[in-house]
Amino acid sequence: MRMVGGHACLDFVNTVDARRDVWGPDLLQTYAYLVVWAGRADLIDVDEARALLAEASARPLLAEAALEKAKILREAVYAALQAEAAGARVPDDALQIVRDAVALALPKRSLFPSGDRLAWQWTDAASLNTIGHRVAFETAEFLVSRNDRRRVRECTGPNCGWLFIDTSRGGRRRWCSDESCGTRSRVRRFRAKAAGNMAPNSKN
């Protein structure tokens, strides 16, 4: 699971390996994979991951349902972020799914002392829907913080379509990763050029 989006909600929608001409495979095959991803995205800590895996093992049907809810949310988040990348309005159905997920997530946060200050903390560590709650909140925070300087892009690599924040100086980043899609795109261009040079001259 490569983390190249630049934000948790972008990395979440990128858990589908390809989104253009060929969809998939889905990298979130099981609830355990969802937990692994959330740990890599720093949405849960090690203790929370262990608790969620134990809960999933004890309640496999509920874990499967939580995974499906997370995937429904993922596709709505993808639609919302793809709209931003295209400079379009967020689709109403996607917005409603995100809005409903945020409404469920908000009661799971509360204020707690942190040194001489107060800080938001999550209170849903034992819930199988914990990851979905946190993704929903992160997505809402990301969407409302949009400004003219932020550039969400869609990778132009063959059969990719991953989303990422373009922080390049010129704002011309094309690929989710230069090492993966960038390299494959250059190889394709090289092979196409080589094949063109080897083609017989039609005038002969």
Side-chain angles (χ1 to χ4, degrees):
M1 295 184 185
R2 293 182 293 123
M3 313 292 275
V4 300
H7 190 278
C9 63
L10 291 160
D11 285 320
F12 188 55
V13 302
N14 292 343
T15 54
V16 175
D17 192 56
R19 285 187 172 275
R20 194 163 284 126
D21 297 333
V22 178
W23 192 96
D26 192 330
L27 303 180
L28 301 182
Q29 292 294 316
T30 67
Y31 189 84
Y33 285 133
L34 178 63
V35 172
V36 170
W37 173 84
R40 294 199 61 193
D42 293 326
L43 293 182
I44 58 174
D45 59 29
V46 173
D47 291 337
E48 288 172 328
R50 289 177 181 147
L52 289 174
L53 290 174
E55 187 74 4
S57 179
R59 296 173 173 80
L61 293 181
L62 291 179
E64 184 176 350
L67 176 62
E68 289 307 309
K69 287 180 183 178
K71 290 183 178 183
I72 292 171
L73 174 61
R74 178 185 63 188
E75 297 312 300
V77 173
Y78 173 71
L81 296 175
Q82 188 185 42
E84 178 175 333
R89 177 181 174 181
V90 176
D92 291 339
D93 54 347
L95 178 59
Q96 189 59 54
I97 291 172
V98 174
R99 184 185 288 128
D100 291 344
V102 172
L104 293 173
L106 288 176
K108 307 300 181 181
R109 289 171 65 82
S110 186
L111 288 170
F112 288 88
S114 179
D116 60 350
R117 302 182 180 182
L118 293 176
W120 287 107
Q121 292 184 22
W122 289 97
T123 61
D124 63 341
S127 168
L128 289 170
N129 292 306
T130 287
I131 298 170
H133 291 155
R134 299 186 186 186
V135 168
F137 189 84
E138 290 290 327
T139 300
E141 291 281 282
F142 185 79
L143 291 174
V144 300
S145 66
R146 180 178 178 179
N147 57 60
D148 294 337
R149 296 184 302 275
R150 186 169 79 192
R151 300 184 295 262
V152 173
R153 304 285 193 229
E154 184 174 1
C155 180
T156 60
N159 295 330
C160 184
W162 277 20
L163 301 178
F164 58 88
I165 301 173
D166 181 3
T167 58
S168 63
R169 180 174 298 179
R172 296 182 178 180
R173 179 178 162 190
R174 298 175 55 195
W175 304 301
C176 60
S177 169
D178 188 65
E179 292 77 17
S180 56
C181 285
T183 297
R184 286 195 290 270
S185 294
R186 286 189 291 270
V187 169
R188 282 166 63 99
R189 288 199 304 270
F190 174 80
R191 289 177 175 171
K193 183 178 180 180
N197 291 337
M198 294 175 62
N201 192 324
S202 60
K203 295 182 180 180
N204 291 340

